[in-house]
Amino acid sequence: MKVIRDEDKKSNTYIKHFEVKKGTIQKNTRKNASAVEITTEDYNDLVVYMSDGSKPRYAKVEENKVKLLQLMTEQHLRNKMCEEELDDKYCKNIAKSVAFFIGGLVAVGAMVNGVPNPNHLLFANAIRIGFPTIILAYSAIKAISVKKIYNKRKEIKKNDYLLENEEVLNQADLNNENILENVKDKDRPAIAKIKQEKDKENDKNYFDINSIDKLSLATLKEIKANIERENYLGLVRSDDKAKGNTESKGTAYVKK
């Protein structure tokens, strides 16, 4: 989950995402005053990534996952309260960027066509180059601000869409290639990773406010549309036909 509000940028309580980390670590155990025994220990933790860069670890139990998802949903609701303010900043920064860009071009034209005083050639040249450059640079700064605000608005809308359509999205059978039709290539590896990690935990709710961190709003909309199409058509898939599984004809091809 991207950070939206300025006050959350360095927060040690704002959750960006969490994941399961498994592995083995070595531990030094003191047997007595003169001997140390090196032992290995398996770990299977929930690692929570906070916006200040900290990564606290917790027990990988269902109640912890549920609480983290609840906290992330509450974060989204706080972010959503900033949506109107972001829209206002977005429009103002676009207007400023365009105005200063046009102003910079006009200044370039005026300086190029202007005839400097020979007695002040160096000063005139400095003005000729510096003034338009400053104006265009400010326009570029505002354009960068527009992009950042746009990404924040997209993040809010994406999480909104997930919460509104979570039940439908989690009907998806991700083994069905039709469900991923028209999904952009850049999002497919993220979906494959979600499926792999969720399958390890025997969790068939692939899409939640944590797992969609690397996905786009457009991808979620495409997946939902594909699920609805599969439910409407209810046709036997080509891979099921090859397996001789034709008894399912006329049923919905979503995850059971």
Side-chain angles (χ1 to χ4, degrees):
M1 177 178 285
K2 292 181 176 64
V3 177
I4 304 298
R5 305 186 309 164
D6 289 341
E7 55 263 45
D8 292 326
K9 284 182 179 179
K10 297 296 181 181
S11 171
N12 67 347
T13 59
Y14 188 92
I15 304 164
K16 295 181 74 175
H17 71 282
F18 65 88
E19 63 183 9
V20 175
K21 287 281 189 179
K22 298 181 181 180
T24 303
I25 57 173
Q26 287 189 338
K27 282 195 170 183
N28 296 338
T29 305
R30 185 169 292 279
K31 296 177 66 177
N32 51 54
S34 60
V36 174
E37 182 181 41
I38 299 176
T39 59
T40 59
E41 182 178 299
D42 293 333
Y43 64 85
N44 188 5
D45 300 332
L46 274 179
V47 180
V48 186
Y49 295 79
M50 317 305 292
S51 66
D52 70 341
S54 58
K55 303 173 187 177
R57 291 174 175 263
Y58 301 96
K60 197 206 78 177
V61 292
E62 189 60 26
E63 52 262 42
N64 280 348
K65 291 182 181 179
V66 171
K67 181 64 181 296
L68 286 169
L69 291 173
Q70 178 186 343
L71 290 171
M72 293 180 77
T73 300
E74 290 171 3
Q75 287 177 180
H76 165 67
L77 295 177
R78 289 195 295 272
N79 291 337
K80 188 172 172 60
M81 293 173 65
C82 302
E83 195 168 14
E84 187 174 333
E85 180 184 349
L86 287 173
D87 289 345
D88 184 56
K89 285 183 177 179
Y90 182 72
C91 293
K92 287 180 178 178
N93 277 283
I94 286 179
K96 288 179 181 178
S97 179
V98 171
F100 276 90
F101 180 74
I102 293 172
L105 293 181
V106 171
V108 169
M111 295 300 174
V112 168
N113 295 324
V115 180
N117 187 327
N119 296 323
H120 303 285
L121 189 58
L122 290 177
F123 177 75
N125 285 336
I127 293 294
R128 180 181 296 178
I129 296 171
F131 186 62
T133 300
I134 292 171
I135 296 176
L136 291 174
Y138 187 76
S139 172
I141 290 170
K142 288 300 174 183
I144 292 171
S145 296
V146 167
K147 178 63 175 176
K148 289 180 178 178
I149 296 169
Y150 176 73
N151 287 338
K152 289 181 178 181
R153 293 167 75 233
K154 279 205 309 183
E155 179 77 357
I156 292 173
K157 292 181 185 303
K158 180 182 75 171
N159 290 329
D160 249 357
Y161 190 82
L162 179 277
L163 294 175
E164 291 170 3
N165 298 280
E166 194 167 2
E167 185 176 349
V168 175
L169 288 167
N170 280 313
Q171 295 176 25
D173 176 5
L174 294 182
N175 291 316
N176 180 358
E177 184 60 28
N178 292 339
I179 296 296
L180 300 181
E181 189 178 16
N182 292 329
V183 169
K184 293 181 180 179
D185 289 342
K186 69 181 181 65
D187 278 350
R188 286 176 177 258
I191 293 172
K193 184 177 180 181
I194 290 171
K195 184 178 186 305
Q196 181 184 36
E197 295 301 320
K198 292 278 190 174
D199 285 348
K200 284 180 184 177
E201 304 301 318
N202 198 28
D203 182 358
K204 298 305 179 185
N205 289 324
Y206 293 118
F207 302 103
D208 58 46
I209 202 165
N210 178 60
S211 66
I212 65 165
D213 187 50
K214 302 298 183 182
L215 300 181
S216 65
L217 173 59
T219 286
L220 294 182
K221 288 183 175 181
E222 200 65 60
I223 290 172
K224 184 193 174 195
N226 290 340
I227 290 170
E228 292 171 341
R229 181 198 60 215
E230 294 295 280
N231 284 342
Y232 172 74
L233 294 176
L235 301 175
V236 176
R237 298 195 329 246
S238 55
D239 54 346
D240 279 346
K241 183 178 178 182
K243 297 173 186 175
N245 181 19
T246 58
E247 295 179 0
S248 305
K249 188 173 183 180
T251 62
Y253 272 89
V254 294
K255 181 179 59 188
K256 302 298 183 184

